[in-house]
DNA sequence: ATTAAATTTTATGTTGCATAAAATCTACAT
DNA sequence: ATGTAGATTTTATGCAACATAAAATTTAAT
């Protein structure tokens, strides 16, 4: 009869492998957070993670793959913020969204910043991806616009999709300026809130607009 | 008496130098327009321009310098569009600004796109630079907002600087999506116009707002 | 303890940017 | 016409970073 062949420790190995992989990714995260995208090299990563470069290739893949992992991780965390609280009014929605985001980013600002830069450079935020963060965020914006219309805050003179596009766009440009180091986190919050609320103001009822503009001017003046 | 020393042909040499330099830059422009930022290497540039890599270093500088020259050239051309026509009303101003920009970019779309990507990657659009394109564009937006207020199109319930910031931001995010290949030139125009006009609508008088919203919905629906 | 498979490392290749030093060219003065 | 100083280009080389084939080592089940 054919003897049983040794199998190697498959399950245990797999677990170890995952652990080592995680160590490498954590180290990568630290490098990116510390010195930004440009200082990140496989050689340094290997060094700090106490492995060699080919090991990184073996466990994770090429440089691009390593970066992709980090961005996916970042996006997953960010997406949790997207599940917004129940809608009451645009001002509350926008403000709580902004504050949730700030709470998240404040923890590890350098990393989030760098991860967004990497995601942009590696083209990981394509608008097309149905499952991507772009589509998800846009859908959230659409829902808020829709609710705002339903609850009588808006006249409905502007196409809901158009309004949602602009609300989201105003959030993105503020993030863009933050992630490129043009503005700090506080300024990001300011511009995001002002941009989104100003967009709502364009179609707000005459009753609701003053509250929006009031809030906008108040946020704009904060810390001046 | 000390004999006159040979001087070398200084003036003629300088002229030739400029001509060769221009040839290299034009070639670089072609490469960038053709294959984008990532395909651009000094070796290929040297090859296509019929010089060697050190010559490029000698005449222009390192890779970053070459790219910078291209971007400066692009910005100069773009800035000419910024000297807007005389103000009459926000809709006309925004539309003619958009059309001027489109006319410029349509000529050599691939190059302009690539140049913006390069400028971003080489950090040439810093917000801080007083003489930079950011400050100039923002100033233009401010002037238009100011005129709009003076001419009675706006209520003046929103701080002019805040309004200008948002008008400009809406233009930038549309450009961003275009230069990264997410949207085409026609969509860039659409989003730019809708974004800017919607911003004006937030503070528009009740008399003027319908015209704005009408225009916005019309532009949004174009080509659907 | 043995063993087969998984894993890591050594050694090497490739590409791209950069520059020192040698070779060449250029335009003027005679 | 030709020599020459100085400008310009090229040859030769170095360096840094990513990538991978093949050899050496480790691992866990038997």
């Amino acid at each position: 009869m054919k003897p049983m062949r040794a199998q190697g420790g498959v399950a245990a190995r797999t677990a170890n492998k995952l652990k080592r992989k995680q160590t490498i990714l954590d180290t990568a995260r630290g490098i990116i957070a510390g010195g930004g995208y440009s200082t990140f090299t496989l050689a340094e990563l290997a060094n700090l993670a106490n492995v060699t470069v080919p090991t990184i290739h073996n466990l994770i893949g090429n440089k691009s793959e390593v970066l992709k992992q980090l961005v996916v991780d970042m996006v997953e965390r960010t997406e949790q913020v997207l599940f917004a609280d129940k809608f009451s009014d645009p001002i509350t929605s926008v403000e709580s969204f902004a504050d949730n985001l700030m709470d998240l980013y404040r923890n590890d600002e350098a990393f989030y910043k760098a991860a967004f830069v990497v995601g942009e450079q590696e083209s990981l935020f394509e608008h097309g991806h149905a499952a991507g963060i772009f589509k998800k965020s846009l859908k959230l914006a659409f829902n808020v616009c829709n609710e705002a219309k339903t609850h009588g805050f808006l006249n409905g003179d502007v196409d809901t999709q158009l309004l949602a596009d602009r609300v989201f766009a105003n959030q993105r440009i503020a993030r863009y300026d933050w992630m490129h180091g043009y503005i700090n986190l506080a300024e990001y919050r300011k511009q995001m809130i002002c941009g989104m609320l100003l967009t709502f103001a364009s179609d707000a009822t005459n009753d609701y607009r003053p509250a929006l503009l009031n809030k906008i001017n108040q946020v704009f003046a904060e810390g001046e």
Side-chain angles (χ1 to χ4, degrees), chain A:
Chain A
M1 197 197 229
K2 215 182 200 172
M4 290 285 277
R5 303 182 68 243
Q7 291 282 322
V10 177
R13 270 164 189 275
T14 305
N16 278 343
K17 192 168 171 172
L18 279 175
K19 204 174 291 174
R20 290 193 308 277
K21 189 169 159 178
Q22 201 51 54
T23 305
I24 293 173
L25 288 175
D26 288 344
T27 307
R29 199 160 171 274
I31 295 173
I32 294 255
Y37 176 69
S38 59
T39 69
F40 177 77
T41 68
L42 290 184
E44 197 195 355
L45 172 57
N47 214 275
L48 292 176
N50 282 113
V51 293
T52 60
V53 173
T55 297
I56 298 172
H57 276 88
N58 177 33
L59 289 177
I60 298 168
N62 63 19
K63 187 180 188 177
S64 188
E65 287 297 322
V66 176
L67 294 171
K68 207 173 285 183
Q69 288 290 323
L70 295 182
V71 175
V72 166
D73 179 48
M74 179 277 287
V75 167
E76 270 169 11
R77 298 196 216 180
T78 300
E79 275 181 352
Q80 294 179 354
V81 173
L82 295 185
F83 295 106
D85 315 310
K86 202 167 81 44
F87 179 88
S88 61
D89 65 297
I91 292 177
T92 308
S93 285
V94 166
E95 231 184 348
S96 78
F97 170 76
D99 287 335
N100 286 343
L101 219 53
M102 294 304 108
D103 285 347
L104 180 68
Y105 293 165
R106 224 191 322 270
N107 280 329
D108 199 353
E109 190 179 349
F111 169 71
Y112 282 99
K113 240 191 231 185
F116 273 112
V117 172
V118 170
E120 178 188 75
Q121 238 145 38
E122 302 279 320
S123 293
L124 301 175
F125 301 140
E126 293 288 346
H127 295 195
H129 280 173
I133 192 163
F134 184 89
K135 282 270 172 71
K136 279 188 191 167
S137 303
L138 192 50
K139 187 147 199 288
L140 175 71
F142 185 90
N143 289 341
V144 173
C145 290
N146 216 23
E147 294 272 19
K149 199 166 286 186
T150 311
H151 286 70
F153 294 104
L154 303 181
N155 290 320
D157 293 336
V158 178
D159 182 280
T160 308
Q161 187 60 57
L162 163 52
L163 205 65
D165 285 351
R166 299 327 305 163
V167 167
F168 183 41
N170 273 276
Q171 194 270 328
R172 285 202 300 138
I173 192 67
R175 185 180 67 204
Y176 175 87
D177 284 345
W178 165 71
M179 78 193 224
H180 281 86
Y182 298 143
I183 60 177
N184 63 23
L185 206 51
E187 187 66 23
Y188 173 14
R189 178 176 178 277
K190 226 191 231 187
Q191 295 199 8
M192 167 169 50
I193 293 177
C194 289
M196 293 171 100
L197 293 186
L198 210 69
T199 304
F200 282 116
S202 68
D203 190 41
T205 61
N206 282 335
D207 282 354
Y208 188 54
R209 187 173 307 108
L212 279 170
L213 299 187
N214 197 45
K215 185 75 196 176
I216 290 166
N217 283 319
Q218 175 211 314
V219 171
F220 184 64
E222 265 170 25
E224 300 283 291

